[in-house]
Amino acid sequence: MKRLQMFGLLNKDMDHIEKELYRSVQGDDDLLSETSLHLLRAGGKRLRPVFVLMGGKFGNYDLEKLKRIAVPLELIHSASLVHDDVIDDADLRRGEPTVKSKWGDKIAMYTGDYIYAKALIMTSELKNPRIHQILSKAMVEMSIGEMEQIRDFFNSEQSIRHYLRRIRRKTALLIAISCQLGALAADANPEDARLLYNYGYNVGMAFQIRDDLLDLSGTEKQIGKPPGSDMRQGNITLPVIYSLEDDRLRDRLLEELDLIRGGRMEVGRAIDLILSGDGIIRAEELASRYISKALTALDGLPNNKTKRNLRDIAFFVTGRAY
Amino acid sequence: MKRLQMFGLLNKDMDHIEKELYRSVQGDDDLLSETSLHLLRAGGKRLRPVFVLMGGKFGNYDLEKLKRIAVPLELIHSASLVHDDVIDDADLRRGEPTVKSKWGDKIAMYTGDYIYAKALIMTSELKNPRIHQILSKAMVEMSIGEMEQIRDFFNSEQSIRHYLRRIRRKTALLIAISCQLGALAADANPEDARLLYNYGYNVGMAFQIRDDLLDLSGTEKQIGKPPGSDMRQGNITLPVIYSLEDDRLRDRLLEELDLIRGGRMEVGRAIDLILSGDGIIRAEELASRYISKALTALDGLPNNKTKRNLRDIAFFVTGRAY
C-alpha cells in the first residue's frame, strides 16, 4: 500500500515525516534499526500522520510540533503490527516478509517494545501531559483489543457488538486520537478537536470493516497477503458473523470453520459460501453508515480546504471495498 | 523472593503500594487481569518502589504523588520480566509458573504490552513531562539491552565491557531512575537527586552481578528456578567470561558451552568448571567495587535515617551472594 498522495500541500510535509520516521529508529542498535527500518520501509498509507497534520490545520499549523505527534502515532501503529504478526503467524505484510518471518518471534517482540518506547520519548519532548495521557490510554485500549482478538479466535458465537468493540479498540481509537491530537497540539478550538475525534473514530471503524471485507473479497495483489488470511488465523470478521446469522449458510460455514480450525489451510470454500450470501453487502452497508457519521462530524467544522480534503479521505480510504 | 521488610516506617506505605499495584491491572479485561495479577502476586522484592519512596524522603514526602512513580516502575519491571520469560523459554520465575508457561507466548506478549501501557497512564497523571522523558528513555535503553542479550546468546567472545553495558541497560538504569524520580517527584534538591541516581545505578550493577552469580552458585530453593538457567539459555554472565579468560578452564568450558548450545540440558559440569576457578570470586570483587561506589554517592547526601537505610539496603540486596 502506498502513501496517500492526494494533497499537494501535505506532500512536502509528509516527506519530512517519512524521513523523521526512519531517523527515529536509528542510532541505538544496529539490529533494532535494521528490523525497525525493514518494517517502516515496507510502507503503508501513513494514515495516522496524515490525520495529525490535517488536524493541525484547524489551529496554528507548526510542522515541528506536529511531527512529535505524527511520528509517534505511526510508530505505535507499526509496533502493534509487529506484535500482531507474531500472534497471527503472518509471513507477509504489505507484500513484504514480516519481521517475525525474517527474524523470528523473539526479535519481533523486542522490535515492537523498542518502537513503542521510541514513540514515547518523542511525545515526551512536547511537554504536554494531556497528550501523553490520551496516548497512553489509547495504548491500553489497543492491548485490550488485541487480547480480545486472541480470545475470540474461532469464536463463532460472537455478536456484532463484540466485533465492533474489538475494532474500536484495535483501530478506530488510534485514528480518532490522530485527528484530535493534531488539533490539540496546534491549540485548535476544543470543540473542533472533539469533532475531529468523532470524524476519525467513524472513519476508523469504516476503514477496519473495509479492511476485513477486502481480506475476503480482494486479490492477493490488492491486499499484499493471501486472501482469507483473517479466517485462516481464526479472526472472525463482520461478513463472517453476518453469514453465520443466515440459516441457509450457517451449518455449512460452521463446518468449514471447524476444518480450518483443525489446521486445513484451504479457505476457498468458506469464502465462496460467504460471497454467496449477503454478508459482504451488509458489512458494506454498515461501513457506509460509519462514513455518514464521519461526514456529519465534519459538518460542525469551519468550512475550509482541509475540511473538503477530510471528506475526500473518508471516501478514499473506505471506498475501495465497494 | 519476599518483599524487603527492613523498614518499619515504609511497611505501611509499601502495603499501600502493593494494593495499588494489584488495583492498577484490574477492571479492563478479565484475562489481562488474571495474567497480570498472576505475575504481580508471584512477588518480588519490590526494590524499585522501595527506592522511589526512599528517594521521596529527601524532599516533601507525599505518598499519593510517589505512588504514581513507584507503581509504574514496578509495572515496567514486571512487564519486562514477562517478555523476558518468552525470550528465555522460562517455565519458572520466583518459584511460580511463568505467564508464558501457563498461557503461552502470545498471551504473555500482550500481557507485557498491557502492563507497559498501564504504567504510562499512571505516570501521565503526574503531569510532569520531565519524569515522562526520563522514564521513556529508560524504556528504550531496556529494550536495547534485551536485544543485545538475544544477540549475545552463546557469544563466548564477548568482553566484560559488553556484559557491563548490557546489565546497565537491563537493570541498573531502572533502579537508578527509581531513586532519582522519587526525589524529583518530591521536589528534592537536584544535586541530591543526582547522587541518588548514582547510588541506584551502582547498587543496580552490583545487584545484577549478584543475581548472575547466584544463578551459578545458588540452590533451586534460593533462586526460585533451576541453577544454571542463564547458561542453559545462552546468557553468558560475568563469572563465565572470567572463567573463559582462564587458560586452565577455557577449552573445557567452551566445549561444555557448545554441548549446551547444541541442546544438552545438563549444565552441572560447566558449573563445576566455573566453581573450580576464580570466576566467582572475581565477579564478587567487581560487585563489591560497585557497592563501594554506591556508598560514596551516599556520602554527599544529608545525614538522616533514610541515608542509613539506603546503606543497609545496598548491603542487603547484594550481600546474599557472598
Side-chain angles (χ1 to χ4, degrees):
Chain A
M1 275 177 240
K2 275 174 64 186
R3 204 175 92 193
L4 286 180
Q5 290 280 2
M6 301 175 73
F7 313 105
L9 206 83
L10 283 182
N11 270 347
K12 222 181 109 206
D13 292 357
M14 283 300 295
D15 284 344
H16 183 62
I17 297 287
E18 193 74 14
K19 272 189 210 122
E20 289 287 319
L21 255 180
Y22 297 158
R23 210 161 63 105
S24 72
V25 294
Q26 287 178 71
D28 292 311
D29 175 272
D30 290 346
L31 182 54
L32 281 169
S33 291
E34 196 186 340
T35 54
S36 304
L37 283 174
H38 171 82
L39 173 76
L40 294 172
R41 286 206 175 114
K45 287 178 294 309
R46 308 301 187 218
L47 207 52
R48 291 147 197 84
V50 164
F51 280 137
V52 171
L53 300 192
M54 307 284 274
K57 293 283 182 188
F58 289 85
N60 304 311
Y61 187 92
D62 172 355
L63 185 59
E64 282 310 295
K65 235 177 174 178
L66 289 168
K67 82 174 183 204
R68 291 192 165 80
I69 311 268
V71 170
L73 277 164
E74 187 67 16
L75 289 176
I76 289 170
H77 170 60
S78 302
S80 81
L81 296 184
V82 207
H83 281 188
D84 255 9
D85 289 339
V86 173
I87 300 300
D88 298 343
D89 264 327
D91 289 328
L92 284 178
R93 153 107 44 204
R94 296 164 182 161
E96 295 283 335
T98 57
V99 174
K100 174 229 136 61
S101 74
K102 243 185 127 171
W103 285 276
D105 284 4
K106 294 172 180 187
I107 287 184
M109 190 175 74
Y110 280 128
T111 298
D113 287 3
Y114 169 73
I115 295 177
Y116 275 130
K118 290 301 278 192
L120 295 167
I121 287 200
M122 203 173 226
T123 44
S124 74
E125 289 165 5
L126 275 178
K127 306 195 194 312
N128 182 331
R130 189 162 168 226
I131 288 175
H132 240 294
Q133 216 156 6
I134 291 171
L135 206 60
S136 46
K137 277 191 184 150
M139 284 170 73
V140 169
E141 292 293 323
M142 278 171 76
S143 67
I144 298 173
E146 301 290 1
M147 200 61 132
E148 288 172 338
Q149 180 162 326
I150 296 180
R151 195 173 16 207
D152 286 341
F153 274 160
F154 288 111
N155 170 10
S156 50
E157 299 305 318
Q158 65 189 284
S159 64
I160 290 161
R161 228 158 89 152
H162 227 86
Y163 165 84
L164 293 176
R165 192 179 62 185
R166 193 168 69 229
I167 67 168
R168 171 182 175 276
R169 287 185 159 134
K170 251 193 62 178
T171 308
L173 223 50
L174 202 66
I175 294 182
I177 69 166
S178 299
C179 300
Q180 177 196 24
L181 292 179
L184 290 180
D187 298 316
N189 172 342
E191 171 60 10
D192 288 354
R194 196 186 62 78
L195 289 169
L196 283 163
Y197 176 97
N198 287 346
Y199 162 83
Y201 171 75
N202 286 295
V203 166
M205 292 296 283
F207 175 66
Q208 187 60 54
I209 293 173
R210 180 210 73 123
D211 214 52
D212 291 346
L213 270 168
L214 267 185
D215 185 66
L216 293 166
S217 65
T219 62
E220 173 147 3
K221 198 162 171 235
Q222 273 179 308
I223 58 183
K225 57 182 181 178
S229 295
D230 285 339
M231 209 164 8
R232 214 173 278 116
Q233 290 145 18
N235 185 8
I236 306 288
T237 57
L238 189 58
V240 184
I241 300 175
Y242 281 137
S243 303
L244 286 168
E245 287 182 348
D246 184 339
D247 286 339
R248 290 161 307 174
L249 301 174
R250 180 174 171 83
D251 290 344
R252 278 179 293 162
L253 188 52
L254 280 176
E255 214 171 288
E256 290 297 316
L257 288 173
D258 260 359
L259 290 169
I260 296 164
R261 182 174 206 165
R264 200 192 57 184
M265 297 300 284
E266 173 50 40
V267 294
R269 268 163 57 192
I271 292 184
D272 286 345
L273 276 174
I274 293 163
L275 296 180
S276 76
D278 59 3
I280 298 284
I281 188 91
R282 287 180 69 192
E284 282 175 2
E285 277 169 16
L286 188 54
S288 304
R289 258 183 285 160
Y290 280 109
I291 293 297
S292 245
K293 284 190 203 167
L295 298 180
T296 306
L298 288 183
D299 285 344
L301 287 168
N303 284 316
N304 58 26
K305 186 162 171 273
T306 306
K307 177 169 160 172
R308 288 189 296 279
N309 287 339
L310 284 174
R311 194 171 294 149
D312 293 344
I313 295 188
F315 289 124
F316 178 76
V317 298
T318 58
R320 284 185 293 170
Y322 307 115
Chain B
M1 275 176 241
K2 274 174 64 187
R3 206 176 92 192
L4 286 181
Q5 293 277 2
M6 302 174 70
F7 313 105
L9 207 83
L10 282 183
N11 270 346
K12 222 182 108 206
D13 292 357
M14 284 299 294
D15 284 343
H16 183 63
I17 297 287
E18 193 73 14
K19 272 190 211 122
E20 290 287 318
L21 255 179
Y22 297 158
R23 210 162 62 105
S24 73
V25 295
Q26 286 178 71
D28 292 313
D29 175 272
D30 290 345
L31 182 54
L32 282 169
S33 291
E34 196 186 339
T35 54
S36 304
L37 283 174
H38 172 83
L39 173 76
L40 294 173
R41 287 206 175 114
K45 288 178 294 308
R46 309 301 188 216
L47 207 54
R48 292 147 196 86
V50 164
F51 280 138
V52 172
L53 300 192
M54 308 284 274
K57 294 281 182 191
F58 289 85
N60 304 310
Y61 186 91
D62 172 354
L63 185 61
E64 283 310 296
K65 236 178 174 177
L66 289 167
K67 80 174 183 201
R68 292 192 165 79
I69 311 267
V71 171
L73 277 164
E74 187 67 16
L75 289 176
I76 289 170
H77 170 60
S78 302
S80 81
L81 295 184
V82 207
H83 281 187
D84 255 10
D85 288 337
V86 173
I87 299 301
D88 299 342
D89 265 326
D91 290 328
L92 283 178
R93 152 105 47 202
R94 297 165 183 159
E96 295 283 334
T98 57
V99 174
K100 175 230 137 60
S101 76
K102 242 184 125 170
W103 285 277
D105 285 5
K106 294 173 180 186
I107 285 184
M109 188 175 76
Y110 280 127
T111 298
D113 287 4
Y114 169 73
I115 296 177
Y116 276 129
K118 290 301 279 193
L120 295 167
I121 285 199
M122 203 173 226
T123 45
S124 74
E125 288 164 6
L126 276 176
K127 307 197 193 312
N128 182 332
R130 187 159 168 230
I131 289 175
H132 240 296
Q133 216 156 4
I134 292 171
L135 205 60
S136 45
K137 277 190 185 153
M139 285 171 74
V140 168
E141 291 295 322
M142 279 172 76
S143 67
I144 298 173
E146 300 290 0
M147 199 62 131
E148 286 171 340
Q149 179 161 328
I150 296 181
R151 195 173 16 207
D152 286 341
F153 275 160
F154 288 110
N155 171 10
S156 50
E157 298 304 318
Q158 65 188 287
S159 65
I160 290 161
R161 227 158 90 149
H162 227 86
Y163 165 84
L164 294 176
R165 192 179 62 185
R166 195 169 68 230
I167 67 167
R168 171 181 175 277
R169 287 183 159 138
K170 249 192 63 176
T171 306
L173 222 51
L174 202 65
I175 293 182
I177 68 166
S178 299
C179 301
Q180 177 195 24
L181 292 180
L184 290 180
D187 298 316
N189 172 341
E191 172 60 11
D192 289 353
R194 197 187 62 78
L195 289 168
L196 283 163
Y197 176 98
N198 288 346
Y199 163 82
Y201 170 77
N202 287 296
V203 166
M205 293 297 283
F207 175 65
Q208 187 60 53
I209 293 173
R210 178 210 74 122
D211 213 53
D212 292 346
L213 270 167
L214 266 187
D215 185 67
L216 293 165
S217 64
T219 63
E220 173 148 3
K221 199 165 169 232
Q222 273 180 308
I223 56 182
K225 57 183 180 175
S229 296
D230 285 340
M231 208 164 7
R232 215 172 277 115
Q233 291 145 18
N235 186 9
I236 305 288
T237 58
L238 189 59
V240 184
I241 300 175
Y242 281 136
S243 303
L244 286 168
E245 285 180 350
D246 184 337
D247 286 340
R248 291 162 305 173
L249 301 174
R250 181 176 171 82
D251 290 345
R252 278 179 293 161
L253 187 51
L254 280 175
E255 213 171 289
E256 290 297 319
L257 288 174
D258 261 359
L259 289 170
I260 296 164
R261 182 175 207 165
R264 201 192 57 183
M265 298 300 283
E266 174 49 40
V267 295
R269 269 162 57 192
I271 292 182
D272 286 345
L273 277 172
I274 294 163
L275 296 179
S276 77
D278 59 3
I280 298 283
I281 189 91
R282 287 180 69 192
E284 282 176 2
E285 276 169 18
L286 189 54
S288 304
R289 257 183 286 159
Y290 280 110
I291 293 296
S292 241
K293 285 190 202 166
L295 298 180
T296 306
L298 288 183
D299 285 344
L301 287 169
N303 284 315
N304 58 27
K305 187 164 170 271
T306 307
K307 176 170 159 171
R308 288 190 295 279
N309 287 339
L310 284 174
R311 194 171 295 150
D312 294 343
I313 295 189
F315 290 122
F316 179 77
V317 299
T318 59
R320 285 183 292 168
Y322 306 115

